[in-house]
Amino acid sequence: AMPAEQSWMARTLAEDRAFTGRELVFERPDGGQRTVLVHTTPLHDPAGRLTGAMNVLIDVTAQRRTEDTLRRSDRRLHTLVEQAPHAFFLVDHEMKIVDVNRQACQSLGYSREELLDMTIPEIDCEFRRQHHDQSWEETPPGQPITLYGRHRRKDGSSFPVEVRLSRFRMDGQRYCLA
């Protein structure tokens, strides 16, 4: 362990305290690092004096690397969608807007927060619930469909749109990416 961690562990045991889930990074002789979770319980003799400690070390190096890789991948995907030149909407089955990118906000004149409080019928001048329900049920998941219509900006003006929709399930919920 590094000196700071050794000092911390010694102080904790000297105070006769247990600790759970402290994450420590150990330097290996080859220059690499190992990340471990440490669980320590003080041990006492029959008179109640501290005599030692029981330590459980769980190597979480691979898990932390995987988490870091997923975070980087998520940031790249978010950047890609956010910087796309087209408006993206994630919509649930009830037509509530769940997420949008920067271009969606710019094209409609709403802030992201405003759009997340809206539904598609509030921005789609030609939205018809019956057509939506029929399209949703008839289109296989993952197969895109194209619709044409008009969207209404915050200032009341409207403009023609071509919308590519693809429905899918995520976490047991039905969504549409438009």
Side-chain angles (χ1 to χ4, degrees):
M2 296 176 181
E5 282 82 15
Q6 289 173 344
S7 174
W8 172 82
M9 283 190 264
R11 279 193 319 274
T12 302
L13 288 174
E15 295 168 4
D16 199 10
R17 292 187 297 144
F19 56 92
T20 302
R22 173 80 182 222
E23 193 167 299
L24 302 176
V25 177
F26 290 90
E27 295 287 333
R28 295 188 339 215
D30 66 3
Q33 294 182 334
R34 301 302 287 177
T35 304
V36 297
L37 285 179
V38 179
H39 304 283
T40 298
T41 303
L43 299 176
H44 303 92
D45 65 16
R49 290 182 301 251
L50 180 65
T51 59
M54 178 179 63
N55 293 300
V56 176
L57 299 150
I58 303 168
D59 188 339
V60 294
T61 305
Q63 180 181 342
R64 294 302 178 259
R65 283 184 189 140
T66 300
E67 290 168 352
D68 187 49
T69 299
L70 289 172
R71 275 192 296 277
R72 284 194 313 267
S73 177
D74 186 50
R75 281 193 305 266
R76 282 192 302 266
L77 179 60
H78 176 77
T79 300
L80 177 69
V81 171
E82 193 60 26
Q83 299 302 318
H86 303 288
F88 281 90
F89 293 83
L90 180 62
V91 180
D92 70 12
H93 184 65
E94 299 305 315
M95 293 290 93
K96 173 145 180 32
I97 299 171
V98 176
D99 205 353
V100 294
N101 69 347
R102 181 182 49 84
Q103 185 59 41
C105 298
Q106 288 178 349
S107 68
L108 294 170
Y110 290 99
S111 70
R112 182 175 191 277
E113 292 74 25
E114 289 172 314
L115 284 171
L116 296 182
D117 280 338
M118 298 175 71
T119 62
I120 292 299
E122 293 174 281
I123 62 167
D124 186 342
C125 301
E126 299 172 1
F127 180 82
R128 292 181 306 283
R129 183 70 197 203
Q130 181 182 8
H131 179 70
H132 158 71
D133 290 342
Q134 181 181 2
S135 295
W136 190 281
E137 296 306 322
E138 291 176 358
T139 306
Q143 180 180 331
I145 61 171
T146 302
L147 303 172
Y148 299 92
R150 295 190 72 74
H151 280 181
R152 184 178 312 108
R153 292 183 184 98
K154 185 176 182 176
D155 68 9
S157 64
S158 64
F159 59 99
V161 293
E162 175 183 288
V163 180
R164 301 266 303 158
L165 304 173
S166 182
R167 69 182 184 92
F168 61 96
R169 284 191 173 271
M170 181 172 62
D171 299 330
Q173 302 287 335
R174 297 190 297 178
Y175 292 98
C176 180
L177 179 63

